[in-house]
Amino acid sequence: MMKRTKLYSVIVTGLMALCSYGQDFAKVDNIVKSYPTTYNSMDRLASRINSDFSRDDEKARAIFTWIARNIRYDNSPEALGAKPIKYSYSTESERLAKVAEIENDLASRTLRSKKAVCHGYAMLYKIVAAKTGLESTVIYGTAKIRPQDIGKSPDAGNHAWNAVKLNGQLKLLDVTWGAGGMTGGSSAFNISFDDKYFLTSPEVFFLNHYPTDKKWLLTDKSPSDFAALPLYYDLGYELVSPDFGMIKTNGSGLVPFRIKGIKPTDEVAYQFTSGRFSKKVTPVIKNGIAEFGVLFDATARGTLTIFVNKTSIAAYNVAR
């Protein structure tokens, strides 16, 4: 039931990723913007999408866009503390029927209430996709979202997302993180459409997501690979080095950082949780890679956050 949080002050967090599908969906998004913001049935939403789009990738995008723009994250204690539904059955067919009923009920409640945790987002996507002729699966696993997650094995089971089959190939998406996040210290959900978790390449998606069933990785990575990663707030940047999340330092000194994606006009800074202020740096950009040093002095402790234009892009933990 993982949510994401954005802070626009001393420490800023956001979760984004690169879309590798290569399709411009601006036309689809503009059409979906004209849809009603409320539907009383999934059939009606699916019917509208089937009427407007014929290509599977456009249908997949239309579902993603409508849900992300119109469903807000439910941060209430009741939703976050929801317990699994218990049911009994005598045969396999009866079990499958009850599972389908439970899934359909969750998706319907999400559509009607216009709020959900990640499970509701993912289930609504799956059911509407099926009604438009698409095959989609809800994937359960672990999301890395806090500095405390660095170094931990991905066995928390705190998140849900989707795979959708397009042209015979499985593609990954996270409509919960496409919808927005919490801003500052407020518990109010700010809908802010972000399409960078739509049809994201498996290698990039892995940087924040590890499925309980490894087959949904769609790439050859291990739990230890995931645990060792830094915390990627913004996957539009590639952390060339250090590419491990725990930085061990003995005493003081400059540690070199190399990050791809930073432009010459960008403002770059860093801050330790043990420090009161951030420190600006002037990177040297070589072959598209920004190089700069971070000073680890006697006061450097806790979490190190890297900022670009006052927005955090990555975090590391400091060990001595």
Side-chain angles (χ1 to χ4, degrees):
M1 297 181 180
M2 181 60 66
K3 65 180 181 293
R4 69 175 187 171
T5 302
K6 291 183 178 180
L7 304 177
Y8 295 100
S9 54
V10 177
I11 297 181
V12 186
T13 64
L15 291 166
M16 297 188 291
L18 297 176
C19 174
S20 64
Y21 199 66
Q23 172 67 38
D24 182 3
F25 292 104
K27 182 178 179 181
V28 176
D29 291 346
N30 284 332
I31 293 173
V32 173
K33 285 179 185 177
S34 69
Y35 286 13
T37 59
T38 300
Y39 279 90
N40 58 16
S41 79
M42 292 182 288
D43 286 329
R44 290 195 174 187
L45 174 57
S47 177
R48 178 69 181 267
I49 290 171
N50 279 330
S51 175
D52 288 338
F53 307 104
S54 58
R55 282 181 14 206
D56 285 351
D57 61 329
E58 291 181 332
K59 292 181 182 180
R61 175 62 174 223
I63 301 166
F64 180 92
T65 299
W66 190 89
I67 294 174
R69 288 189 177 279
N70 294 284
I71 306 297
R72 64 180 177 84
Y73 192 88
D74 188 352
N75 201 37
S76 68
E78 295 79 11
L80 296 175
K83 293 180 172 54
I85 298 174
K86 296 181 180 180
Y87 59 94
S88 59
Y89 57 91
S90 301
T91 65
E92 178 63 11
S93 61
E94 185 180 353
R95 184 189 72 83
L96 292 175
K98 289 196 174 184
V99 169
E101 181 182 355
I102 292 169
E103 291 183 345
N104 192 77
D105 179 65
L106 173 60
S108 294
R109 282 189 285 111
T110 298
L111 183 72
R112 293 193 306 269
S113 68
K114 299 185 66 176
K115 60 184 179 179
V117 294
C118 58
H119 191 193
Y121 278 95
M123 195 59 68
L124 179 59
Y125 189 95
K126 174 188 173 180
I127 302 298
V128 175
K131 292 178 181 295
T132 65
L134 300 180
E135 181 183 340
S136 179
T137 302
V138 175
I139 301 171
Y140 301 97
T142 300
K144 180 177 284 190
I145 195 170
R146 304 169 303 171
Q148 299 95 307
D149 297 330
I150 297 172
K152 289 185 178 180
S153 181
D155 52 13
N158 60 8
H159 196 39
W161 57 93
N162 294 87
V164 63
K165 185 173 285 187
L166 300 175
N167 298 323
Q169 294 186 328
L170 290 169
K171 302 291 182 178
L172 298 170
L173 60 95
D174 188 334
V175 69
T176 309
W177 286 1
M182 312 298 175
T183 303
S186 171
S187 61
F189 186 78
N190 177 39
I191 289 182
S192 179
F193 180 68
D194 180 0
D195 68 350
K196 294 179 183 178
Y197 265 106
F198 177 71
L199 309 188
T200 313
S201 72
E203 291 74 20
V204 173
F205 206 81
F206 155 78
L207 298 175
N208 311 96
H209 297 71
Y210 200 94
T212 301
D213 187 341
K214 192 176 178 180
K215 74 178 183 181
W216 294 113
L217 270 174
L218 308 184
T219 186
D220 185 20
K221 301 292 183 180
S222 70
S224 59
D225 292 333
F226 183 81
L229 290 168
L231 176 56
Y232 284 77
Y233 288 131
D234 186 338
L235 300 183
Y237 299 89
E238 179 183 346
L239 307 180
V240 179
S241 65
D243 59 357
F244 44 86
M246 188 69 71
I247 299 178
K248 294 183 179 180
T249 177
N250 296 315
S252 300
L254 279 176
V255 173
F257 279 70
R258 302 175 71 235
I259 300 176
K260 188 174 183 179
I262 294 176
K263 300 186 292 292
T265 55
D266 287 337
E267 178 185 290
V268 181
Y270 67 87
Q271 183 175 2
F272 295 96
T273 51
S274 58
R276 294 181 60 189
F277 305 102
S278 61
K279 298 179 181 179
K280 292 184 180 180
V281 293
T282 303
V284 175
I285 299 179
K286 300 178 181 179
N287 300 318
I289 299 176
E291 302 180 4
F292 58 92
V294 171
L295 178 62
F296 284 74
D297 58 21
T299 66
R301 283 177 173 75
T303 298
L304 165 68
T305 304
I306 307 296
F307 300 89
V308 175
N309 299 325
K310 296 183 173 63
T311 299
S312 60
I313 67 166
Y316 300 79
N317 283 338
V318 180
R320 290 187 179 273

